[in-house]
């Protein structure tokens, strides 16, 4: 690598140099710097379209980076304390799947929490690995799943010494962290890799008041959503690896599915955002922490709502808490989280990240302003005053421990039949059902459909959760494995 510093942004600089050359484009994309699609240029702007270009010598190639992309990735690795960083333009879904496909082959075992994002289970469908699920502990008062307890993982490791890896969420969607350092040591003592889904943990690496970034406490690989708390464009992410993982092999895995037409808009946004975090990360997250702590204090003063934080920490299944997460329990107001989510959007023009059956998550970042926080607090106060109801009859559990009957790949590709959802109890599901966001499956391929799960699906639909996954978009029918159940 050239003598670069964190002040550098190699991809940005290469794109600026290319623009100065005034190249005549006889290559793709066909809009030719926007001239061929004036409506798109008017919408996005000439500056944007002028750098929506294809790989060329001076811009390097994401499939085989040897110059500016490689330099940008090396700077990212340095900023995050990794041996190498890969720019991922298929979102953190592609980074999570690369981790699992790197660690596991057909028939291998991987230990993971069941409250993983669907991307992790999708990876098992692709590679044929078998999950050893750790059912997360529950906070029944909040109706949310927690992290993995060390003892539960240790028992899974002892029962499955041939497992290839342990996957951990750092943090969960709600901000809850497991003891990643202890789990990394446990994994390494048994010859396993420790993989971290850090879709919501990019900021951990840039502030000492936040939980530890996985790579700083011994993880072998970590998938980061730079576009969430890191400020880059939607769909741009990073994959970090440690010194004991083969960079070349990981790159081969990435190239199995990643496009050969890498978006320079996405890559430049990763490059610029990395520079911003490396130079100003502590200052940025100082402001975010201050805003969230103020919001949490004001919301808790309203009454009934509960914006939770580090007081939940128990040293194990809640080893730490991400204090930038504004997770708010709503059930004491007599409203499901999704109902508050809908009211905020429809009545107050406030778009929060998601609502489930008991909570909402308001995602606060450096882009927010104090007056935005005040508007959110005022809206929540008014919702409580105008819409508060009796909470009796509300479902309490956000997560139901599943019964796994067979590996996801086997169930997904097995002969199947479609049944009315009411007739599926006792049968084995062969597809996904989930609320999105957050994208954690209620049912995944290979799991037993129970009356409790069907009740939860009906309740979530009634409350207005956005249900996704099944082949039947209306979720009136589910695909089940042929011959399963009675």
């Amino acid at each position: 690598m050239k003598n670069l510093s964190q002040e550098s942004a190699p991809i940005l600089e290469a794109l600026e140099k290319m623009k100065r050359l005034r190249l005549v484009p006889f290559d793709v994309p066909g809009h030719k710097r926007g001239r061929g699609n004036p409506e798109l240029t008017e919408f996005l702007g000439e500056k944007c379209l002028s750098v929506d270009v294809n790989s060329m010598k001076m811009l390097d190639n994401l499939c085989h980076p040897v110059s500016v992309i490689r330099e940008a990735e090396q700077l990212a690795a340095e900023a995050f304390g990794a041996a190498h960083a890969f720019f991922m333009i298929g979102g953190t879904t592609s980074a999570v799947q690369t981790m699992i496909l790197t660690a596991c082959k057909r028939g291998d075992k991987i230990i993971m929490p069941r409250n993983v994002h669907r991307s992790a289970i999708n990876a098992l469908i692709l590679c044929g690995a078998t999950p050893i699920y750790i059912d997360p502990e529950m906070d029944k008062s909040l109706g949310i799943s927690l992290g993995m307890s060390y003892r539960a993982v240790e028992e899974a490791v002892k029962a499955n010494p041939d497992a290839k890896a342990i996957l951990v969420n750092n943090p969960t969607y709600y901000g809850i962290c497991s003891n990643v350092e202890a789990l990394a040591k446990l994994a390494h003592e048994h010859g396993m890799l420790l993989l971290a889904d850090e879709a919501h943990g990019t900021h951990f690496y840039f502030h000492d008041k936040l939980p530890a970034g996985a790579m700083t406490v011994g993880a072998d690989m970590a998938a980061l959503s730079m576009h969430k708390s890191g400020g880059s464009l939607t769909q741009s992410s990073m994959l970090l690896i440690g010194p004991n993982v083969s960079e070349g092999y990981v790159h081969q895995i990435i190239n199995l599915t990643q496009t050969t037409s890498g978006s320079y808009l996405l890559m430049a946004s990763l490059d610029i955002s990395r520079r911003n975090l490396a130079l100003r990360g502590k200052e940025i997250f100082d402001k975010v922490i201050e805003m969230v702590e103020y919001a949490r204090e004001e919301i808790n003063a309203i009454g009934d709502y509960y914006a939770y934080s580090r007081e939940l920490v128990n040293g194990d299944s809640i080893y730490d808490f991400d204090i930038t997460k504004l997770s708010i329990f709503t059930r004491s107001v007599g409203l499901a989280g999704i109902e508050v989510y809908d009211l905020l959007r429809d009545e107050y023009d406030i778009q929060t990240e998601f609502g489930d059956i008991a909570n909402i998550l308001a995602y606060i970042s450096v882009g927010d302003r104090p007056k935005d926080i005040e508007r959110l607090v005022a809206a929540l106060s008014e919702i409580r005053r105008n819409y508060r109801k009796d909470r009796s009859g509300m479902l309490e559990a956000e997560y139901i421990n599943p019964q796994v009957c067979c590996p996801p790949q086997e169930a997904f590709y097995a002969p199947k039949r479609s049944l009315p959802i009411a007739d599926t109890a006792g049968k084995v599901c062969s597809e996904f059902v989930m609320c999105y966001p957050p994208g954690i499956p209620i049912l995944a391929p290979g799991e037993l459909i129970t009356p409790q799960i069907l009740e939860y699906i009906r309740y979530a639909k009634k409350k207005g959760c956005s249900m996704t996954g099944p082949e039947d978009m209306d979720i009136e029918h589910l695909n089940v494995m042929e011959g399963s159940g009675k």
Side-chain angles (χ1 to χ4, degrees):
M1 188 172 75
K2 293 186 297 190
N3 186 21
L4 295 171
S5 71
Q6 290 296 330
E7 286 83 2
S8 301
I11 296 173
L12 171 66
E13 292 154 15
L15 287 167
E16 290 173 334
K17 181 179 178 181
M18 178 210 70
K19 287 183 71 173
R20 290 194 297 270
L21 291 176
R22 299 171 65 89
L23 293 174
V24 178
F26 286 107
D27 62 350
V28 296
H31 61 67
K32 301 299 175 86
R33 314 296 194 262
R35 292 191 299 271
N37 195 337
E39 294 90 351
L40 185 63
T41 304
E42 183 181 359
F43 179 63
L44 293 178
E46 184 275 333
K47 282 188 175 181
C48 176
L49 272 291
S50 69
V51 292
D52 181 37
V53 294
N54 195 29
S55 297
M56 59 185 78
K57 187 170 183 180
M58 67 183 303
L59 296 180
D60 208 356
N61 188 307
L62 186 60
C63 292
H64 188 77
V66 294
S67 58
V68 295
I69 295 175
R70 184 162 184 82
E71 290 167 1
E73 289 181 336
Q74 288 294 94
L75 285 169
E78 180 184 294
F80 285 92
H84 189 72
F86 296 91
F87 282 11
M88 307 294 292
I89 55 173
T92 308
T93 286
S94 63
V96 168
Q97 292 177 349
T98 295
M99 291 195 302
I100 293 174
L101 294 174
T102 298
C104 299
K105 299 179 178 63
R106 185 184 301 278
D108 286 344
K109 296 177 184 176
I110 178 169
I111 297 167
M112 61 171 64
R114 175 53 183 75
N115 59 327
V116 288
H117 188 266
R118 70 168 293 173
S119 58
I121 302 176
N122 282 345
L124 305 179
I125 292 173
L126 293 173
C127 72
T130 298
I132 306 299
Y133 286 131
I134 305 292
D135 286 325
E137 293 184 10
M138 293 289 300
D139 184 315
K140 293 194 175 167
S141 63
L142 297 178
I144 61 172
S145 53
L146 308 177
M148 295 192 293
S149 76
Y150 181 85
R151 179 174 294 180
V153 179
E154 185 178 41
E155 288 174 358
V157 167
K158 288 178 179 176
N160 300 275
D162 54 341
K164 300 298 182 183
I166 300 170
L167 174 70
V168 61
N169 295 318
N170 192 48
T172 68
Y173 224 126
Y174 302 95
I176 292 163
C177 299
S178 303
N179 188 344
V180 179
E181 183 171 15
L183 294 179
K185 288 179 181 175
L186 176 66
H188 297 157
E189 286 168 2
H190 292 83
M192 302 175 190
L193 296 175
L194 194 284
L195 317 178
D197 180 347
E198 291 191 303
H200 298 275
T202 299
H203 48 299
F204 288 1
Y205 293 84
F206 299 98
H207 205 289
D208 57 8
K209 284 187 179 179
L210 299 175
M215 299 305 294
T216 68
V217 291
D220 297 289
M221 305 179 79
L224 306 180
S225 288
M226 278 288 282
H227 65 92
K228 290 189 171 75
S229 58
S232 64
L233 290 177
T234 296
Q235 201 177 303
S236 59
S237 297
M238 287 190 194
L239 175 62
L240 308 177
I241 64 171
N244 297 322
V245 178
S246 167
E247 176 189 336
Y249 183 63
V250 172
H251 216 135
Q252 285 186 322
I253 297 294
I254 291 171
N255 284 339
L256 289 176
T257 56
Q258 182 152 267
T259 179
T260 55
S261 302
S263 167
Y264 279 88
L265 295 172
L266 297 180
M267 287 187 279
S269 81
L270 286 170
D271 200 19
I272 294 165
S273 300
R274 178 273 313 157
R275 180 172 68 178
N276 191 36
L277 293 180
L279 299 181
R280 291 175 287 278
K282 186 176 187 304
E283 173 190 344
I284 287 169
F285 296 116
D286 270 337
K287 292 178 181 176
V288 174
I289 291 168
E290 183 181 350
M291 280 193 290
V292 175
E293 289 184 339
Y294 171 77
R296 192 178 285 122
E297 184 177 327
E298 292 294 302
I299 291 165
N300 285 334
I302 294 171
D304 291 323
Y305 295 111
Y306 176 30
Y308 38 95
S309 187
R310 279 203 166 121
E311 69 276 2
L312 298 180
V313 168
N314 61 22
D316 189 20
S317 58
I318 312 175
Y319 183 75
D320 206 346
F321 186 86
D322 176 9
I323 56 174
T324 73
K325 286 283 186 298
L326 186 56
S327 302
I328 306 163
F329 177 69
T330 66
R331 200 168 57 218
S332 295
V333 188
L335 297 170
I338 187 62
E339 292 175 306
V340 176
Y341 169 96
D342 285 340
L343 286 166
L344 285 169
R345 184 193 61 242
D346 297 341
E347 302 296 328
Y348 299 92
D349 297 324
I350 294 173
Q351 180 63 56
T352 52
E353 175 66 11
F354 81 94
D356 58 33
I357 66 169
N359 302 265
I360 61 169
L361 173 64
Y363 210 96
I364 311 298
S365 76
V366 69
D368 288 298
R369 302 165 295 181
K371 68 179 183 179
D372 300 325
I373 302 294
E374 297 290 358
R375 186 170 165 184
L376 173 64
V377 172
L380 288 171
S381 181
E382 197 167 296
I383 287 170
R384 176 181 179 268
R385 186 166 63 249
N386 294 338
Y387 297 95
R388 188 168 183 257
K389 294 189 296 192
D390 181 0
R391 61 179 288 182
S392 61
M394 299 184 72
L395 268 189
E396 295 191 355
E398 173 59 29
Y399 172 81
I400 301 168
N401 290 340
Q403 182 177 330
V404 180
C405 300
C406 66
Q409 186 185 66
E410 180 183 334
F412 187 80
Y413 290 113
K416 64 191 73 171
R417 57 181 171 142
S418 177
L419 291 177
I421 193 166
D423 299 337
T424 60
K427 296 178 171 54
V428 178
C429 193
S430 64
E431 56 186 354
F432 289 96
V433 182
M434 73 200 82
C435 295
Y436 187 85
I440 297 166
I442 300 164
L443 276 171
E447 295 177 356
L448 184 69
I449 303 168
T450 66
Q452 184 187 15
I453 288 172
L454 292 177
E455 180 191 3
Y456 178 89
I457 292 171
R458 283 191 292 268
Y459 184 85
K461 284 179 68 178
K462 179 182 174 183
K463 290 297 185 182
C465 289
S466 176
M467 308 291 288
T468 67
E471 194 174 316
D472 174 13
M473 300 285 282
D474 295 324
I475 318 190
E476 301 294 340
H477 292 73
L478 283 182
N479 288 337
V480 300
M481 289 180 68
E482 191 74 57
S484 65
K486 295 180 181 178

